[in-house]
């Protein structure tokens, strides 16, 4: 490596260390080994999925596990506020943001939203792939939009300060949530359909629409959503980010990897079955979805710094890189989490 190349790598590493780095979603095989990978990857905070198909009781059990892990490690802290994220950055900790990828944990009781908020849940995806009481998922044949129950749930989320996520949500339901929400909403982990059409990818029109309403999109790195498929590299991931920046503007794009580190085929099959046990929701790119080979150069959480290096290598200005790495997430969290009915906690 040339001297100039070595200096560029050194600067990228420094930038990554100095920046607030937030991953909009991971759904790993949770435990101390994964949290250590997050530390190695320079992550300040991560939206950690604790509900996909689970009901109320199972989700409470999952939350209890996260709280136990945070108590057991000085290197972890649970995130309730933006201030907690800044505190984690200052103290070299990894912040755990509790998030849902479905509203199955609510069952049909909206009062559970406040319980989960008190426990620290700060992000909720309104549907996961299929129809539920709130609306339709991206794999539903018919998307009739946000239900009346869904409007009530969204209003409560806006009121208490829970961010609405639309990554696995159908287009009409997503449109309805964006227009009915009084706070910005997000696609926490998506990819552009312009690069590869897929039920899970979003059109440029959808990306612009959420940006025009103050929201953002986290760039997903799963190869099933990239033109190169399992041959993708970190450069393909930065191409994806670049397309989103060109489409939405640099203030509306972030990181949302959708890392599934540590999981095997059985887990992916559970994800891809309606309610975890019924019909398979898709056959498209099934091998890529059930046996993902992540892009070379960013195939593990610990390699996230390579994304910063690749962005810097392209000559992207450092302020833009910092926004994508975490500052855009901070802005959205600050706008949404405060809520009208505060109920926030201090640093933990």
């Amino acid at each position: 490596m040339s001297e100039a190349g070595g200096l560029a790598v050194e600067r990228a590493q420094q930038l990554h260390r100095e920046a607030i780095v937030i991953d909009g979603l991971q759904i790993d095989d949770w435990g101390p080994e994964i949290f250590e990978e997050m530390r190695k990857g320079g992550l300040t905070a991560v939206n950690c999925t604790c509900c996909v198909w689970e009901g109320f009781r199972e989700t409470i059990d999952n939350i209890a596990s996260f709280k136990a892990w945070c108590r057991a490690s000085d290197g972890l802290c649970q995130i309730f506020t933006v201030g907690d994220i800044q505190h984690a950055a200052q103290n070299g900790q990894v912040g755990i943001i509790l998030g849902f990828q479905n509203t199955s944990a609510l069952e049909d009781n909206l009062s559970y939203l406040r319980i989960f908020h008190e426990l620290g849940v700060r992000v909720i995806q309104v549907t996961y792939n299929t129809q539920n009481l709130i609306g339709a998922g991206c794999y539903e044949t018919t998307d009739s939009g946000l239900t009346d129950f869904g409007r009530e749930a969204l209003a409560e989320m806006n009121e208490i300060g829970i961010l609405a996520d639309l990554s696995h949500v159908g287009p009409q339901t997503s449109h309805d949530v964006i227009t009915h929400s009084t706070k910005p909403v997000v696609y926490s982990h998506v990819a552009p359909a312009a690069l590869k059409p897929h039920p899970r990818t979003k059109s440029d029109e959808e990306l612009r629409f959420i940006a025009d309403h103050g929201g953002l999109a986290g760039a997903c790195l799963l190869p099933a959503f990239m033109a190169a498929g399992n041959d993708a590299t970190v450069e393909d991931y930065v191409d994806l980010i670049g397309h989103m920046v060109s489409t939405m503007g640099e203030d509306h794009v972030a990181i949302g990897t959708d890392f599934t580190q540590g999981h095997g085929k059985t887990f992916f099959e559970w994800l891809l079955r309606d309610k975890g046990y019924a019909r398979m929701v898709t056959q498209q790119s099934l091998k890529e979805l059930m046996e993902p080979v992540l892009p070379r150069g960013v195939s593990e959480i610990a390699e996230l710094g390579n994304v910063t290096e690749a962005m810097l290598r392209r000559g992207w200005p450092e302020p833009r890189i910092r926004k994508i790495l975490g500052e855009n997430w901070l802005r959205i969290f600050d706008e949404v989490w405060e809520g009208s009915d505060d109920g926030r906690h201090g640093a933990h």
Side-chain angles (χ1 to χ4, degrees), residues 161-272:
I162 294 177
L163 177 64
D165 182 8
L166 305 173
S167 301
H168 286 251
V169 180
Q172 185 59 52
T173 300
S174 294
H175 182 279
D176 291 351
V177 171
I178 293 168
T179 55
H180 283 88
S181 180
T182 60
K183 299 290 180 67
V185 301
V186 301
Y187 297 125
S188 71
H189 57 298
V190 295
L195 300 183
K196 185 171 183 179
H198 190 283
R200 270 274 286 113
T201 56
K202 306 297 181 182
S203 70
D204 285 354
E205 290 75 18
E206 289 176 298
L207 294 174
R208 280 192 289 266
F209 189 71
I210 200 169
D212 288 345
H213 287 76
L216 64 73
C220 177
L221 57 66
L222 293 186
F225 310 139
M226 296 186 195
N230 284 344
D231 293 324
T233 70
V234 66
E235 298 297 336
D236 293 288
Y237 183 51
V238 176
D239 284 343
L240 186 154
I241 295 171
H243 179 90
M244 292 169 68
V245 169
S246 297
T247 303
M248 307 175 70
E250 65 184 41
D251 293 330
H252 301 279
V253 180
I255 300 296
T257 63
D258 203 9
F259 268 120
T260 56
Q261 196 159 317
H263 287 302
K265 186 174 180 179
T266 301
F267 175 77
F268 296 112
E269 184 172 350
W270 178 73
L271 288 181
L272 290 171

Side-chain angles (χ1 to χ4, degrees), residues 50-218:
C50 57
C51 171
V52 179
W53 297 116
E54 295 92 337
F56 179 83
R57 174 60 187 269
E58 294 170 297
T59 303
I60 291 291
D61 289 342
N62 291 342
I63 291 172
S65 294
F66 275 103
K67 288 182 176 290
W69 285 319
C70 287
R71 288 194 301 270
S73 172
D74 291 336
L76 291 180
C77 64
Q78 188 180 345
I79 301 301
F80 293 86
T81 70
V82 168
D84 292 341
I85 296 176
Q86 294 163 337
H87 185 268
Q90 293 164 4
N91 289 276
Q93 295 175 302
V94 175
I96 302 298
I97 303 167
L98 295 180
F100 293 178
Q101 288 205 61
N102 203 349
T103 47
S104 54
L106 303 182
E107 299 176 356
D108 61 353
N109 191 335
L110 287 182
S111 68
Y112 290 170
L113 271 171
R114 289 181 181 262
I115 294 173
F116 285 124
H117 183 264
E118 284 295 313
L119 292 171
V121 173
R122 291 296 181 266
V123 184
I124 293 181
Q125 184 172 260
V126 299
T127 72
Y128 186 79
N129 290 341
T130 59
Q131 181 75 41
N132 65 16
L133 294 175
I134 283 178
C138 60
Y139 288 108
E140 281 290 341
T141 303
T142 302
D143 180 355
S144 57
L146 189 65
T147 65
D148 289 345
F149 179 84
R151 292 188 188 195
E152 289 185 78
L154 180 61
E156 186 78 345
M157 289 166 65
N158 288 161
E159 179 72 16
I160 61 179
I162 294 177
L163 177 64
D165 182 8
L166 305 173
S167 301
H168 286 251
V169 180
Q172 185 59 52
T173 300
S174 294
H175 182 279
D176 291 351
V177 171
I178 293 168
T179 55
H180 283 88
S181 180
T182 60
K183 299 290 180 67
V185 301
V186 301
Y187 297 125
S188 71
H189 57 298
V190 295
L195 300 183
K196 185 171 183 179
H198 190 283
R200 270 274 286 113
T201 56
K202 306 297 181 182
S203 70
D204 285 354
E205 290 75 18
E206 289 176 298
L207 294 174
R208 280 192 289 266
F209 189 71
I210 200 169
D212 288 345
H213 287 76
L216 64 73

